């Protein structure tokens, strides 16, 4: 950890421009990229075009990007394309699959640059990189939040053996303006805006689940990529707007098992568009009921010995989904099958990667008997 | 929900480790004056306390304590004197702030009413079973986010509210020595529930709790062999907080952390910190045993009150930690003794 007090300048955050892809799902144009240009231009963009493939998506000039539409997805994956959702932003995970980079940042096309309380524009990508490159501390809660931020540290009582932390796999950012509420809450509070800038990043404790929003999210693809499957949503499916929730629960239980860290908090983006709450209600209806079972399911997931890689954990998870959630609704059998398909596709596109094996042994893990 | 604070619901307990409380109390007057104050004079302080007029307060000195407690093996000197205040209070809520802390200012420059914020934290539910990414959903302008199960949205009763500190943060001695000029200037505008099974270091500098429900769970247990008057020379609050969190997790009660902030201290006595370092390596080493122990505690389903939980934990401490260091055996004894005192003195009347 750098002692900024002694040596003055805090080292600047590396750009990682050759190690990070930005994945954007879209059905409209990408004008929003103009605002992000100062921060995004150095990077390669993977654009996943949902909806009608014959529509041309306009990308502002000067960006290095590759665009995939439904035809590309079908062509590249063949029968395995069935695991990629149609008419839902869940299709973004196709971008994770085909990327060759170590890190992914994914953002929705209605998310703009936010300003911090001093009026300065927030470079969300830079903050995500800071989050991913500094350790997480899931085994003991630090009351001053992220101890690796400038101006903070571990508080009195924090065991020294836990102060190295563990590698961060996921950085979950937040949103000012339109908050990410579910449909019922949107209907009751249509005018509520999130105006509170909470100047904190924190590690989500081991064993704690959270609702992961895919609007402003970054992760270490090498460490946790295969777990970032956004499920079967949208067209032909009985559920929508639970894609990121599903990926969040799956990836968190796997991160907990493999001792990888998940952070939430900064950076904020400015969420500009409120989706139609009535449409959302229809999409979420089953999800709202099913989450009452899904959450307890994930809270009780245990991985047997031998689940030492992300893929192995994920396949095991798919079996447990089938066994325990299948009776809730046949949808979960389909979902479990598509989870397996996803891993097959992942391994096909990423043959030399051996994900998670290096993290099997953890020097600073929790005590036995936990 | 009603967030009216009834004056007769709250006691403010102050451990007076210094005799002149004038500046402290004048600065806190706008926020303290409507409540009853229990001021415990550290038995090691010799001079009479100086307290400005206009406060409804009661002072307890060494002789008062001896009269009420009789003979006891618990050492109520230093920061631990405040526990005596918890014992003699009859109120539902207790707020406790160190006597070297003053009201802080928020990002808008307004003085923070730490007492009111603790009460708000304690009177609104906690949500320990699932993390809300927008932090406290009961705060104005916030709510539960998409994906938060509706069955968990009622929350549970919050019984412990852990506040924070601007300026001199609550660091241990090694950190103070390495970073003597660091000041905590970041005002994080959030309260959040500490999730179930997540343990944390609770700082005694600025907190509030529900005395009715937690009762004897806030206890003077661990006293370092070389315990001193500086915060970095104590572990009593850390030990107490770990016990309390385990009890809360077991009983399905909530713990919050975050706002309010207080403004702490003027400077760091680096020489003092270095001296402490030579003596207090003990506390830092002990945490390595303490944390895994508390992470492994599983209380039986027969333990249904805070008191039951404390007795169970005391036995576990004696058995598992006792052999490692005599301070742990003493802590276990203190926990049992504390429950006895609580039954004799603490649970009287309301």
């Amino acid at each position: 950890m750098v002692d900024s007090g002694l040596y003055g300048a805090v080292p600047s955050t590396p750009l990682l421009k050759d190690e990070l892809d930005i994945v954007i799902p879209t059905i409209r144009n990408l004008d929003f990229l103009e605002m992000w240009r100062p921060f995004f231009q150095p990077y390669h963009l993977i654009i996943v075009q949902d909806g009608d493939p014959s529509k041309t998506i306009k990308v502002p000039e000067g960006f290095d990007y590759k665009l995939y539409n439904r035809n590309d997805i079908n062509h590249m994956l063949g029968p395995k394309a069935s695991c990629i959702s149609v008419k839902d932003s869940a299709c973004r995970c196709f971008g994770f699959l085909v990327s060759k980079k170590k890190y992914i940042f994914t953002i929705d096309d209605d998310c703009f640059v936010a300003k911090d309380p001093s009026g300065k524009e927030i470079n969300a990508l830079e903050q995500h990189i800071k989050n991913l490159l500094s350790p997480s501390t899931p085994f003991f809660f630090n009351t001053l939040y992220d101890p690796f931020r400038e101006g903070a540290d571990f508080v009195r009582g924090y065991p020294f053996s836990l102060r190295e932390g563990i590698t961060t796999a996921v950085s979950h950012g937040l949103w000012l303006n339109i908050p990410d509420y579910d449909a019922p809450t949107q209907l009751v509070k249509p005018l509520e805006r999130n105006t509170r800038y909470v100047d904190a990043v924190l590690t989500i404790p081991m064993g704690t689940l959270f609702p992961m929003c895919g609007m402003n999210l970054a992760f270490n693809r090498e460490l946790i990529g295969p777990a970032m499957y956004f499920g079967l949503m949208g067209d032909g499916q009985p559920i929508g707007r639970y894609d990121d929730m599903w990926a969040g629960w799956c990836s968190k239980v796997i991160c907990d098992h493999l001792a990888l860290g998940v952070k939430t908090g900064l950076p904020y983006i400015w969420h500009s568009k409120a989706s139609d709450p009535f449409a959302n209600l229809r999409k979420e209806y089953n999800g709202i009921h099913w989450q009452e079972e899904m959450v307890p399911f994930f809270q009780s997931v245990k991985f047997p010995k031998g689940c030492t890689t992300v893929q192995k954990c994920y396949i095991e998870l798919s079996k447990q989904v089938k066994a325990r959630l299948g009776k809730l609704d046949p949808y979960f059998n389909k979902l479990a099958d598509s989870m397996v398909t996803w891993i097959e596709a992942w391994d096909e596109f990423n043959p030399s990667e051996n994900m998670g094996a290096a993290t099997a042994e953890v020097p600073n893990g929790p005590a036995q008997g936990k | 929900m009603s967030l009216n604070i009834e004056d007769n619901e709250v006691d403010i307990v102050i451990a007076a480790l210094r005799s002149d409380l004038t500046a402290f109390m004048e600065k806190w007057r706008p926020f303290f004056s409507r409540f009853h104050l229990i001021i415990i004079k550290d038995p090691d302080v010799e001079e009479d306390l100086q307290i400005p007029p206009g406060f409804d307060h009661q002072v307890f000195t060494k002789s008062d304590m001896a009269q009420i407690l009789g003979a006891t093996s618990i050492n109520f000197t230093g920061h631990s004197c405040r526990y005596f205040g918890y014992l003699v209070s009859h109120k539902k809520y207790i707020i406790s702030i160190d006597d070297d802390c003053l009201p802080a200012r928020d990002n808008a420059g307004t003085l923070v009413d730490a007492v009111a914020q603790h009460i708000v934290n304690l009177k609104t539910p906690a949500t320990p079973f699932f993390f809300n990414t927008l932090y406290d959903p009961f705060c104005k302008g916030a709510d539960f986010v998409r994906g938060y199960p509706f069955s968990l949205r009622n929350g549970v009763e919050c019984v412990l509210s852990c506040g924070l500190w601007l300026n001199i943060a609550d660091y241990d001695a090694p950190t103070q020595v390495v970073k003597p000029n660091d000041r905590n200037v970041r005002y994080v505008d959030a309260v959040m529930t500490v999730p179930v099974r997540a343990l944390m270091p609770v700082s005694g500098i600025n907190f509030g709790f529900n005395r009715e429900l937690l009762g004897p769970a806030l206890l003077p247990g661990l006293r370092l062999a070389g315990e001193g008057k500086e915060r970095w020379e104590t572990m009593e609050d850390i030990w107490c907080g770990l016990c309390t969190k385990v009890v809360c997790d077991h009983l399905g009660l909530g713990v919050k952390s975050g706002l309010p902030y207080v403004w702490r201290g003027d400077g760091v006595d680096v020489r003092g910190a270095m001296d402490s370092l030579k003596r207090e390596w003990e506390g830092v080493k002990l945490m390595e045993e303490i944390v895994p122990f508390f992470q492994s505690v599983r209380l039986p389903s027969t333990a249904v009150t805070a008191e039951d939980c404390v007795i169970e934990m005391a036995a576990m401490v004696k058995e598992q930690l006792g052999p490692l260091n005599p301070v742990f055996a003493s802590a276990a004894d203190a926990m049992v003794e504390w429950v006895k005192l609580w039954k004799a003195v603490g649970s009287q009347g309301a």
Side-chain angles (χ1 to χ4, degrees), chain A residues 123-272:
Chain A
N123 182 346
L125 184 45
E126 182 184 62
Q127 181 66 52
H128 276 300
I129 291 173
K130 275 188 187 155
N131 293 349
L132 291 171
L133 294 184
S134 59
S136 291
T137 51
F139 303 120
F140 203 61
F141 186 85
N142 193 46
T143 48
L144 276 190
Y145 314 111
D146 186 347
F148 298 102
R149 277 186 88 193
E150 299 111 57
D153 210 312
F154 290 96
V155 297
R156 174 175 56 102
Y158 206 104
F160 274 79
S161 64
L162 295 181
R163 294 191 188 200
E164 261 184 50
I166 58 171
T167 312
T168 304
V170 181
S171 167
H172 176 260
L174 295 174
W175 353 270
L176 291 171
N177 196 40
I178 309 287
D180 188 22
Y181 290 159
D182 52 47
T185 311
Q186 270 183 296
L187 284 165
V188 169
K189 296 179 159 192
L191 300 177
E192 188 149 274
R193 298 289 176 264
N194 186 23
T195 55
R196 180 176 289 113
Y197 184 91
V198 177
D199 191 2
V201 183
L202 55 132
T203 298
I204 305 211
M206 161 79 72
T208 300
L209 292 178
F210 74 113
M212 184 180 85
C213 173
M215 261 198 264
N216 170 20
L217 178 73
F219 59 93
N220 184 322
R221 191 183 159 280
E222 271 178 19
L223 286 179
I224 198 63
M228 286 296 183
Y229 171 51
F230 273 48
L232 286 176
M233 304 279 148
D235 232 27
Q237 308 297 344
I239 185 174
R241 285 171 53 89
Y242 272 83
D243 52 334
D244 41 7
M245 298 299 134
W246 186 260
W249 297 330
C250 290
S251 58
K252 183 58 163 65
V253 297
I254 293 176
C255 282
D256 283 353
H257 178 71
L258 296 178
L260 296 169
V262 176
K263 291 184 182 175
T264 186
L266 302 183
Y268 282 89
I269 48 88
W270 180 268
H271 185 210
S272 66

Side-chain angles (χ1 to χ4, degrees), chain A residues 74-112:
Chain A
N74 291 338
H75 178 70
M76 291 169 75
L77 291 185
K80 296 195 185 76
S82 60
C83 76
I84 304 296
S85 302
V86 177
K87 293 273 184 62
D88 195 285
S89 63
C91 64
R92 78 178 75 217
C93 64
F94 178 79
F96 308 159
L97 188 81
V98 297
S99 165
K100 299 291 171 214
K101 303 287 173 54
K102 182 169 178 180
Y103 302 99
I104 297 276
F105 169 51
T106 183
I107 186 170
D108 278 11
D109 63 9
D110 60 352
C111 294
F112 291 80

Side-chain angles (χ1 to χ4, degrees), chain A residues 3 139-141 143-145 149-157 159-161 163 172 174-175 179-182 184-185 189 192-194 196-200 202 204-205 207-211 213 241 244-245 249 264-265 284 288 291-292 295 299 367 369-370, chain B residues 129-131 133-135 139-151 153 164-165 169-172 174-175 178-179 183-184 186 188-190 192 194-201 203 231-232 234 237-238 242 257-258 284 287-288 291-292 295-296 298:
Chain A
D3 185 350
F139 303 120
F140 203 61
F141 186 85
T143 48
L144 276 190
Y145 314 111
R149 277 186 88 193
E150 299 111 57
D153 210 312
F154 290 96
V155 297
R156 174 175 56 102
F160 274 79
S161 64
R163 294 191 188 200
H172 176 260
L174 295 174
W175 353 270
D180 188 22
Y181 290 159
D182 52 47
T185 311
K189 296 179 159 192
E192 188 149 274
R193 298 289 176 264
N194 186 23
R196 180 176 289 113
Y197 184 91
V198 177
D199 191 2
L202 55 132
I204 305 211
T208 300
L209 292 178
F210 74 113
C213 173
R241 285 171 53 89
D244 41 7
M245 298 299 134
W249 297 330
T264 186
E284 290 172 10
I288 287 175
Q291 73 192 2
E292 297 296 333
V295 166
Q299 282 170 335
K370 193 165 151 54
Chain B
F129 304 119
F130 201 67
F131 188 86
T133 49
L134 278 190
Y135 313 111
C139 200
K140 193 157 177 287
D143 211 310
F144 290 97
V145 296
R146 175 175 56 98
Y148 205 104
F150 278 80
S151 65
R153 296 192 188 198
L164 293 173
W165 348 268
D170 190 11
Y171 291 149
D172 52 41
T175 311
V178 168
K179 296 178 158 191
R183 298 291 177 265
N184 185 24
R186 185 175 289 126
V188 178
D189 188 9
M192 62 192 80
V194 182
V196 69
R197 285 181 310 274
L199 295 181
M200 57 191 288
S203 169
R231 268 297 179 193
W232 62 63
T234 70
D237 48 354
I238 307 296
L242 290 169
S257 183
V284 163
M287 285 310 296
E288 299 299 332
V291 168
Q295 281 172 336
S296 70
R298 298 288 179 268

